[in-house]
Amino acid sequence: MILSDEWRDYELIDCSSGERLERWGNILLIRPDPQVIWATAKQDKRWQTADARYFRSKTGGGKWDIYHKIPDCWSISYRSLRFGIKTMGFKHTGLFPEQAANWDAVADMIRASSRQLKVLNLFAYTGGATVSALAAGAAVTHVDASKGMVAWAKENAVLSGVSDRPVRWLVDDCRKFVEREIRRGNRYDIIIMDPPSYGRGPGGEVWKLEDEIYPLVELCVQVLSSDAKAFLINSYTTGLSPAVMQYILGVIAVKRFGGSVEARELGLPVTSSGYALPCGSTAIWRSNE
């Protein structure tokens, strides 16, 4: 398991009975998590003093109960980066802190390169990977189908002091964008992909990651440069294990470019227990160079 354990402004304080107790800066939130199937005693007093709690509805969705006045938006730091945080629908805050380990891994590759690397960030959400890659010195193309998420990513770039770096902000369907890039002959040195587990397109078409991931990876390797460095996939889909993603990148990327694939769970350290909470899977193909 790869732990994102370098945070100072985020802390997973405790988790029990289907919930997480988290500190986001100085704001305490309780959010549901289906992975938390244990029912350990909630001994930390901050369970009773949280600022807000998200309750799932039995009919779908849910809502935040706000116990103490909190800002509509506040910011937290990771290393030199800053990110805006909000209490959003479906329990989200606009950031997945477990991804920090991946941000660091990609940033290290960018800094180690003797040339400026071109990064393609697909399903790029609020831009955690984008601003990290920009700060490391890459040129980034940020693609997400949500106009609101791309606007939020731009705000994070401003907060992180990297808005003047070489970046393209694109509101687009990721598959259609990659198809056009293939025709245009544009190529990238690193691809980062964080696709949703399930969703619907603008025409009502159903997206299910297990059905879409293999042909999508087959498509995306076509925009990797001849001296590409890496292809990273994240997944929060239970049925898509690290080994499955490793296999996919192995038979597609390794077959075409050589190199190797590493796949692991992502996790966050839990302060109260000393254990780690699994938070999805990641797989990364790296070239031999």
Side-chain angles (χ1 to χ4, degrees):
M1 180 181 287
I2 306 171
L3 289 182
S4 293
D5 55 3
E6 297 295 326
W7 282 96
R8 297 294 177 267
D9 278 3
Y10 170 83
E11 180 186 7
L12 178 50
I13 300 168
D14 195 9
C15 50
S16 179
S17 303
E19 292 182 310
R20 301 183 186 191
L21 173 63
E22 302 167 298
R23 178 178 60 81
W24 298 82
N26 60 356
I27 305 293
L28 295 177
L29 302 180
I30 298 174
R31 299 191 296 156
D33 190 322
Q35 295 250 77
V36 182
I37 61 174
W38 48 89
T40 50
K42 295 180 177 180
Q43 295 180 335
D44 194 297
K45 294 180 180 179
R46 286 172 287 184
W47 281 104
Q48 283 73 51
T49 61
D51 296 293
R53 187 177 200 166
Y54 188 87
F55 288 95
R56 287 192 184 278
S57 169
K58 293 181 179 178
T59 58
K63 68 181 183 70
W64 286 96
D65 275 6
I66 308 297
Y67 304 129
H68 309 114
K69 184 174 177 57
I70 59 176
D72 292 334
C73 180
W74 68 100
S75 62
I76 65 171
S77 295
Y78 180 75
R79 302 190 188 279
S80 65
L81 310 175
R82 288 194 69 79
F83 303 100
I85 304 299
K86 304 174 187 177
T87 49
M88 303 163 59
F90 299 101
K91 78 175 184 179
H92 294 303
T93 62
L95 196 68
F96 294 96
E98 63 273 10
Q99 290 297 329
N102 281 333
W103 304 340
D104 289 344
V106 172
D108 287 344
M109 281 187 278
I110 294 167
R111 293 190 184 98
S113 177
S114 60
R115 59 188 172 89
Q116 185 177 58
L117 299 182
K118 292 177 63 180
V119 175
L120 175 60
N121 189 11
L122 298 171
F123 308 96
Y125 196 49
T126 60
T130 295
V131 298
S132 177
L134 289 171
V140 183
T141 298
H142 175 110
V143 187
D144 197 279
S146 168
K147 184 177 180 180
M149 292 301 104
V150 174
W152 194 338
K154 290 180 180 180
E155 293 171 4
N156 284 334
V158 172
L159 285 172
S160 295
V162 295
S163 58
D164 59 340
R165 306 292 174 89
V167 57
R168 291 194 295 164
W169 305 105
L170 301 173
V171 179
D172 206 343
D173 177 89
C174 289
R175 172 182 285 278
K176 292 178 181 177
F177 172 78
V178 171
E179 289 171 345
R180 292 196 301 275
E181 290 291 85
I182 293 170
R183 294 194 294 270
R184 288 186 287 240
N186 290 333
R187 298 295 180 262
Y188 299 88
D189 302 304
I190 297 174
I191 295 176
I192 301 168
M193 180 190 298
D194 196 355
S197 298
Y198 182 85
R200 290 187 179 273
E205 61 273 20
V206 174
W207 163 279
K208 190 175 181 182
L209 184 56
E210 295 94 325
D211 298 333
E212 302 290 344
I213 186 66
Y214 187 82
L216 185 59
V217 174
E218 281 190 310
L219 183 72
C220 288
V221 294
Q222 297 179 60
V223 295
L224 281 173
S225 63
S226 58
D227 53 353
K229 297 293 186 182
F231 192 144
L232 187 148
I233 306 174
N234 295 305
S235 170
Y236 295 93
T237 301
T238 305
L240 205 60
S241 69
V244 168
M245 294 194 297
Q246 183 176 28
Y247 198 102
I248 291 171
L249 283 175
V251 298
I252 296 176
V254 173
K255 183 178 180 180
R256 182 165 178 166
F257 295 99
S260 60
V261 183
E262 179 185 18
R264 296 184 188 177
E265 283 187 302
L266 287 171
L268 289 167
V270 182
T271 302
S272 65
S273 67
Y275 293 114
L277 177 68
C279 301
S281 304
T282 191
I284 183 169
W285 165 80
R286 301 172 189 261
S287 70
N288 285 326
E289 296 182 5

